């Protein structure tokens, strides 16, 4: 038992990187504050940095990359989708020749063909991540958005 206590104390002293998982806020407050809200389909996704830059990255953090998604608006609830321009997400480049592979569970997958709700607080690219209001267009999301923008409110 004493060894276990010593081992736990040693582990607690090791330097570690911590990432906070965000608390999902109610969608209604985000819709109220947003400048633009629309539903669209991702028609194109592209890496922002060059692939050569990612391949030559020395550390795992340097392999995190931004992906620019072009979204074609289909249903506009608020604002002008042309002021948003694109939706940006983050991903991690995994070298196919590497011995180790990094898996980052906090990253969200977004690809051409996906239909998403885009919630942009201001002009310029919107973000699509776990801690943003932009999300996949699902039955649950549709109910919440249509209730918020209902003329009977």
């Amino acid at each position: 038992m004493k060894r276990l206590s010593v081992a736990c104390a040693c582990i607690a002293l090791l330097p570690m990187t911590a990432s906070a998982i965000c608390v999902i806020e109610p969608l209604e407050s985000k819709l109220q504050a947003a400048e633009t809200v629309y539903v669209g389909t991702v028609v194109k996704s592209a890496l922002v940095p060059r692939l050569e830059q990612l391949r030559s990255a020395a550390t795992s953090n340097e392999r995190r990359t931004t992906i620019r998604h072009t979204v074609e608006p289909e249903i506009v609830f608020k604002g002008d989708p042309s002021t948003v321009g694109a939706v940006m997400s983050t991903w991690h480049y995994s070298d196919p020749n590497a011995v180790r592979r990094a898996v980052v569970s906090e990253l969200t997958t977004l690809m051409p063909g996906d239909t998403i709700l885009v919630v942009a607080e201001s002009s310029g690219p919107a973000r699509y991540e776990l801690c943003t209001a932009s999300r996949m267009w699902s039955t649950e999301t549709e109910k919440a958005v249509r209730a918020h923008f209902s003329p009977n409110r």
Side-chain angles (χ1 to χ4, degrees), residues 25-34 78 119 121 133 148 153:
E25 296 180 30
L27 185 57
E28 187 172 298
S29 63
K30 296 290 189 179
L31 296 173
Q32 185 72 34
K78 183 179 184 183
V119 181
E121 295 175 6
H148 179 78
R153 280 193 55 180

Side-chain angles (χ1 to χ4, degrees), residues 2-87:
K2 186 175 182 179
R3 285 185 183 174
L4 180 61
S5 297
V6 171
C8 288
C10 289
I11 289 172
L13 295 175
L14 292 174
M16 299 178 132
T17 304
S19 297
I21 300 296
C22 61
V23 175
I24 302 298
E25 296 180 30
L27 185 57
E28 187 172 298
S29 63
K30 296 290 189 179
L31 296 173
Q32 185 72 34
E35 190 175 289
T36 306
V37 179
Y38 69 95
V39 176
T41 300
V42 178
V43 295
K44 181 181 177 183
S45 297
L47 287 171
V48 172
R50 293 189 348 249
L51 187 55
E52 295 78 27
Q53 181 181 348
L54 294 171
R55 284 182 179 141
S56 65
T59 67
S60 182
N61 279 344
E62 291 173 350
R63 289 187 188 98
R64 282 208 175 193
T65 183
T66 301
I67 300 176
R68 180 183 180 90
H69 306 278
T70 303
V71 179
E72 187 173 304
E74 295 183 36
I75 304 169
V76 179
F77 290 101
K78 183 179 184 183
D80 180 5
S82 67
T83 63
V84 177
V87 175

